[in-house]
Amino acid sequence: MNFNVNMKDKPTESKVVNNILKYLAPVDEINGFYTRPGFYLQNGATAIPGGVNFTVHSHGATSIELVLFRRNQTEPFAIIPFPEEYRIGNVYSMIVYDLVISEFEYAFRVDGPYEPEKGLIFDKTKYLLDPYAKAVVGQSVWGYKPPNGYQYRARVVTNDFDWGKGKQPLIDMKDLIIYELHVRGFSKHNSSGAKYKGTFAGIIEKIPYLKMLGINAVELMPVFEFDEMRDIRLHEGNYLFDYWGYNTVSFFAPNTAYTAKLETNAEGDELKTLIKTLNENGIEVILDVVFNHTAEGNQDGSFFSFKGFDNNIYYMLTPNAEYYNFSGCGNTLNCNHPIVQQMILECLRYWVTEYRVDGFRFDLASILGRNEDGSPMSKPPLLQSLAFDPILGKVKLIAEAWDAGGLYQVGSFPSWNRWAEWNGKYRDDMRCFLKGDAGMADRAVNRIMGSKDLYPEEHRGECASVNFINCHDGFTLYDLYSYNQKHNLANGWNNTDGDNNNNSWNCGAEGYSTDPAVVSLRRKMRKNAFATLMCSRGCAMFLAGDEICNTQFGNNNPYCQDNEISWINWEVTPEKQDMFNFCQYMIHFRRHYPILRGKTKQAHCGFPDMSKHSAVAWYDSYNNDTRTIGVMFAGRNAEDTKDDIIYLAINTYWEKQYFQLPTLPADLKWHIAVNTAMESPLDCVKKIEDMMVVQSDLELEARSVIILIAEKV
């Protein structure tokens, strides 16, 4: 059915209008357009047979106008006020007939009181972007700034994507191995080999690589529409962009600059194709979403959407009507106001139903639990609504459980046995322990064993902890062991931006080194970290490129770097191939042994599910100088045909150490599957018959990790 009826001559007695007059209801004529009251429960702009339904709401507005533009024009060709009789409560809804969605763009103008001291700043001269816009125009060419006088506008999109009969993977949280990536940076480098570099289509081209690596979920850094030109700067001859995309322009619209095809009224199809194809290959898609603030900034920022509809509702304001800034980005979305709650819930439902998204990671999620005055709430209504919403019932909800206002809730984020968390304490504790800091052994063991001190199962469910050592925010894994200090001068802030507490270690030389001892130690440290992550209870996550030694040259905050600092370099070197082989092995090792993920029956041999050890078997009393730990996992295999037993031994001391291993049942021996002190290919052994067999004692080289499995000789 063609919903885009084109009546360029607009005859008074058209078939469309006659049918409406005859069978539905009388139509009005406003400024030369046939109109009638619309569908009040359908927010945004929606194509219908013969026209478009526009629905918008504002609590404080006195009137609203629909503004129509020809494609790419700065001046409107029509302004259609919503008649008062088209308003129910605070909702304005109007059907406009004879519009062809490919031929126009739209915005709103909203009039109302101007009382800044009360947070009311209505301005009827501003063209406002629809908060429910499904596509934003003028953003589709990366790095292109529209002409002066241009303001954000929206377009109507089609929602007729064919999902076929495919099903979402619905992978348990504890089984996820999440690969965090930036859509543009993932395939933009010339070495990526992608035809459509820096786009959703570019990721599709790399799916064979993702399958070969073995991950089963990708977490996409922000893909909602953002303006990379928002704060463009020129620094030392290089343009700096809003590259990461954490300043949302439109919550319902995919970023059109990430599409291989330009504006088509179906930009979402490329992202939908990516999600569908990933799902078909057993890979889930998690979106990094930013509901803590918008791109409008503070009183000195932009004025293009929420400020013009209901500034005092959408944003947290102080008693003096100034903007609270718990986000560190100028404003804070008023998430627990009923209107904002409704928008966020409708937004997430939209992405789940129209895009089949498998999960969401919420940036600075502690803000979502703040009251309208900024105070933390014990039972935030928004978080509870998301936890129990039927449409969201199967999707992953992952919180970054802190914010820029100092609210740190790792282990205490309101959850209803539903929310998981980025475990920032796992990252910090494991970084400190692995580089040999004193007093960290007990914490490290707790983190490896699922952080039950933070997430007791009876209160937080089976898998609340998302474990990670590196993510987009901070050093890459390669840089973690190549730099003692951040090197962010390229960002233009005199190295004052980015975290100063990286818990990193350069292994004896700052930055690039050809010293064989430094190179060897760094290789071992990277493998130690990755092996430990893959042997830790909870969901595992790592940063795209860590498996191939990707570097950001010491920049731990490359939010503005659209260049080789941020792009993944896919050039193959022996060092990169070695790290890839190791990471691929460890990912498949984790997936092969469900006891590492906590999914099996009790072992018949009598060993507990997990147990703590030190250099002495079964001795789990650690002191300030303890730098050698062991963790043993035991349980039935996936087929319930035999016991699986795995022992993780970690020595972070700078000299070799000797371990006494737990005594196995008589028919089993310890086999070394992984030894990071060995050179490739002896660092990870695939076949049981090729593994070294050890008895009761084990020698660990300095700063190394050994993983043993119990098998018959």
Side-chain angles (χ1 to χ4, degrees), residues 617-663:
W618 303 106
Y619 185 80
D620 60 355
S621 180
Y622 309 123
N623 58 42
N624 195 59
D625 294 326
T626 301
R627 291 179 173 84
T628 53
I629 62 172
V631 177
M632 186 167 67
F633 303 90
R636 301 296 287 172
N637 65 2
E639 296 78 22
D640 195 18
T641 57
K642 70 180 187 72
D643 285 349
D644 276 341
I645 306 171
I646 293 176
Y647 191 90
L648 171 67
I650 304 176
N651 176 25
T652 65
Y653 197 57
W654 38 92
E655 295 178 358
K656 69 173 60 176
Q657 298 290 302
Y658 295 90
F659 274 67
Q660 179 195 74
L661 297 172
T663 301

Side-chain angles (χ1 to χ4, degrees), residues 481-499:
Y481 297 114
S482 299
Y483 297 91
N484 281 348
Q485 307 293 332
K486 65 185 182 184
H487 294 263
N488 297 358
L489 287 172
N491 295 352
W493 304 112
N494 199 29
N495 212 37
T496 59
D497 64 303
D499 197 346

Side-chain angles (χ1 to χ4, degrees), residues 436-487:
D437 287 0
M440 298 302 300
D442 193 59
R443 293 188 192 181
V445 168
N446 282 336
R447 300 297 156 253
I448 292 169
M449 296 175 70
S451 296
K452 296 303 180 184
D453 56 327
L454 300 176
Y455 309 109
E457 191 166 317
E458 62 271 21
H459 300 302
R460 295 305 302 269
E462 294 182 341
C463 191
S465 179
V466 177
N467 302 324
F468 67 103
I469 294 176
N470 302 86
C471 65
H472 73 275
D473 194 0
F475 283 144
T476 67
L477 182 59
Y478 185 89
D479 290 356
L480 185 65
Y481 297 114
S482 299
Y483 297 91
N484 281 348
Q485 307 293 332
K486 65 185 182 184
H487 294 263

